Amino acid sequence: MPRYFFDLVDDKSVYDKKGVTLPNEKAAREHAITFARELMETKPELLGESWTKWSVQVCNGKFDRILKIPFSKVIESNPKAVSPATE
């Protein structure tokens, strides 16, 4: 199974050094959305900034970005609203 990495990005970055093994990109997208929602619920501010400034960047095992999910899109509760890696 492939490994995916879930980095938090804004003008600062918090890199995921362990990653998560998931079956495919769809599962990685769902994990990223859940991760963002959980952070918004438990950490209203990340590194002193509102969560609205942050995104979850999902990278594959080669550390290529495959998608980016702005926290602001997670609020819309529409998983299809996330932007692909080619912004």
Side-chain angles (χ1 to χ4, degrees), residues 3-52:
R3 182 169 295 274
Y4 296 92
F5 297 86
F6 301 86
D7 303 328
L8 296 174
V9 292
D10 183 28
D11 60 336
K12 304 171 192 163
S13 296
V14 180
Y15 295 103
D16 176 6
K17 294 181 177 150
K18 287 178 71 175
V20 177
T21 302
L22 296 166
N24 54 42
E25 285 186 27
K26 181 180 178 188
R29 177 185 303 265
E30 292 169 7
H31 182 83
I33 291 168
T34 299
F35 177 51
R37 282 190 182 130
E38 288 175 357
L39 280 174
M40 286 189 286
E41 290 172 7
T42 60
K43 305 274 187 198
E45 292 187 1
L46 293 173
L47 300 176
E49 291 185 6
S50 166
W51 51 260
T52 58

Side-chain angles (χ1 to χ4, degrees), residues 45-74:
E45 292 187 1
L46 293 173
L47 300 176
E49 291 185 6
S50 166
W51 51 260
T52 58
K53 308 254 186 213
W54 289 86
S55 296
V56 178
Q57 172 177 279
V58 182
C59 297
N60 62 19
K62 296 178 183 179
F63 300 104
D64 298 322
R65 185 173 82 179
I66 58 172
L67 60 106
K68 183 177 179 182
I69 302 173
F71 279 35
S72 60
K73 296 290 184 186
V74 172

